[in-house]
Amino acid sequence: MTKIALVPGDGIGQEVIPVAWDLIGSLHPEFDSFQVEVGYARWQKSGVACTDDDITALKSADAILFGAITTPPDPCYQSVILGIRQALDLYANLRPVKGDNVDIMIVRENSEGLYSGIEWREKDRACTVRVVSVEGSRRIARVAIRLAGERGCLLTIGNKANVIKSDVLFRDICCHEAAKAGISFEACYIDSLALDVLLHPARYGVIVTTNIFGDILSDVAGYLVGGLGMLPSANIGDRYALFEPVHGSAPDIAGKGIANPVAAIRSGAMLLEYLGFRDDAGHIEAALQAVIGRGIKTPDLGGTATTESFGEAVKAELGI
Ligand code: NAD
């Protein structure tokens, strides 16, 4: 039986994941789901945000649907999502940005870079080590090359090799792998790329880049398609997979019932696609388009729908 781990997490994760799961679970009542409570709220209650047993439970699932987790600026608190990505070696973060005249897949290296977790505080400075390895760069390059090949599109390698030496390595490995694969590719500096993606989005197909650049670039590109409430993502490794909205726990709107669940629903659709239910993912996307097209939208898109009423409208559109 297919086992799905549900991790609502903190803030609006608690609101959007139930809506997304209601839909996915209705489409696939044969799925067996179980909930894993990790995050800041648990840390506040117990002093522990995520245990080894939680990681073992997550590893027992065929796929994970994840909301968002608050990371307070507290030096004693370790980011839970970073810990999960590292423990499950979810090295490829796929962040599709799709809308009118935009169809970009951002492929973010997810296991090293500036999010290596190697950091320390000294008396008068703080240091974080930015790790770029040959193997880490090669495996993410190969994911991006495969996707660009499947889509028959340009591969753009986002980097800052003009200033950061570790990016020389990243860029060179990506270029080498792309040339070997015989696909069309270019290398671009990430700062000018961020602007050009907004100016000429139709030019781009697959963009591969390092951890923090991919994180920032995907939020920037969200501007093209209605903001953070619209962007899903997949965190994929060789053995495990976790699907989550790009957005965070949004404390400013948490508890109000107005969070946009599209990103979470689309993350659920990516989960279904990963498990082989490609048609379902297509039906969900069509239903989302139809509902939004009728003007049913949450306030971030200029509408008055609530998180729940939007989810109900999508279910009705799907006939479930
Ligand atoms: P955020 O994504 O939570 O929110 C940024 C802005 O976008 C806010 O104004 C918010 O209201 C809005 N927004 C986000 N998602 C929305 C949605 N679905 N519908 C409507 N509006 C939405 O980013 P932030 O404010 O920088 O971070 C808040 C917390 O989330 C922080 O503790 C941060 O560390 C955490 N975070 C977690 C993850 C994760 O778990 N993967 C990712 C990003 C941020």
Side-chain angles (χ1 to χ4, degrees):
M1 184 181 281
T2 304
K3 279 172 73 178
I4 309 292
L6 301 175
V7 187
D10 298 311
I12 63 167
Q14 299 270 352
E15 299 165 41
V16 295
I17 292 303
V19 167
W21 177 248
D22 186 27
L23 210 147
I24 307 293
S26 301
L27 282 173
H28 286 277
E30 78 282 10
F31 285 178
D32 184 21
S33 71
F34 63 94
Q35 194 139 327
V36 181
E37 272 178 44
V38 295
Y40 183 51
R42 173 150 161 221
W43 189 75
Q44 285 175 307
K45 273 186 280 174
S46 67
V48 183
C50 179
T51 64
D52 289 348
D53 284 350
D54 296 322
I55 297 292
T56 304
L58 293 175
K59 285 182 173 174
S60 75
D62 294 290
I64 303 159
L65 186 60
F66 185 97
I69 287 184
T70 299
T71 304
D74 180 329
C76 299
Y77 185 92
Q78 294 292 325
S79 164
V80 172
I81 185 63
L82 281 197
I84 294 173
R85 285 174 184 153
Q86 287 183 348
L88 276 60
D89 198 20
L90 303 172
Y91 61 87
N93 188 199
L94 311 183
R95 295 186 157 190
V97 182
K98 272 179 107 161
D100 291 343
N101 218 16
V102 190
D103 187 2
I104 303 171
M105 178 63 87
I106 296 175
V107 179
R108 166 192 177 199
E109 201 294 318
N110 214 22
S111 65
E112 47 185 35
L114 204 55
Y115 294 179
S116 67
I118 306 171
E119 43 195 1
W120 65 92
R121 181 76 194 259
E122 297 172 4
K123 187 164 161 280
D124 55 359
R125 62 177 191 166
C127 303
T128 299
V129 178
R130 186 174 194 269
V131 177
V132 174
S133 71
V134 170
E135 193 40 44
S137 303
R138 197 175 278 148
R139 66 182 182 172
I140 197 68
R142 288 178 180 164
V143 170
I145 288 163
R146 179 175 49 75
L147 289 169
E150 282 168 13
R151 292 163 158 239
C153 69
L154 174 71
L155 173 67
T156 302
I157 300 158
N159 67 89
K160 193 70 185 159
N162 49 335
V163 179
I164 306 174
K165 294 292 170 251
S166 49
D167 260 21
V168 175
L169 180 65
F170 181 80
R171 181 201 60 191
D172 288 354
I173 288 174
C174 290
C175 288
H176 177 74
E177 292 294 321
K180 215 166 64 180
I183 62 158
S184 148
F185 70 96
E186 62 179 358
C188 293
Y189 295 133
I190 194 74
D191 35 7
S192 55
L193 176 62
L195 175 61
D196 203 55
V197 161
L198 298 186
L199 292 175
H200 308 108
R203 219 192 140 257
Y204 295 95
V206 173
I207 301 175
V208 65
T209 189
T210 53
N211 207 332
I212 196 167
F213 293 157
D215 199 7
I216 296 170
L217 188 66
S218 51
D219 278 31
V220 168
Y223 174 77
L224 296 165
V225 295
L228 282 175
M230 305 296 280
L231 299 178
S233 82
N235 296 261
I236 309 280
D238 292 333
R239 294 179 63 189
Y240 307 106
L242 178 152
F243 301 83
E244 60 169 338
V246 166
H247 63 71
S249 57
D252 54 338
I253 58 165
K256 295 183 179 164
I258 55 165
N260 185 347
V262 170
I265 294 171
R266 282 182 167 157
S267 301
M270 290 181 86
L271 177 150
L272 288 176
E273 204 169 337
Y274 169 80
L275 292 174
F277 301 101
R278 188 175 266 266
D279 287 353
D280 286 344
H283 294 147
I284 290 172
E285 185 55 38
L288 287 171
Q289 300 291 346
V291 168
I292 293 171
R294 284 205 302 278
I296 302 174
K297 302 172 189 176
T298 44
D300 55 308
L301 298 181
T304 55
T306 64
T307 311
E308 280 187 10
S309 68
F310 184 88
E312 288 302 326
V314 179
K315 273 177 75 181
E317 184 67 31
L318 285 165
I320 52 178

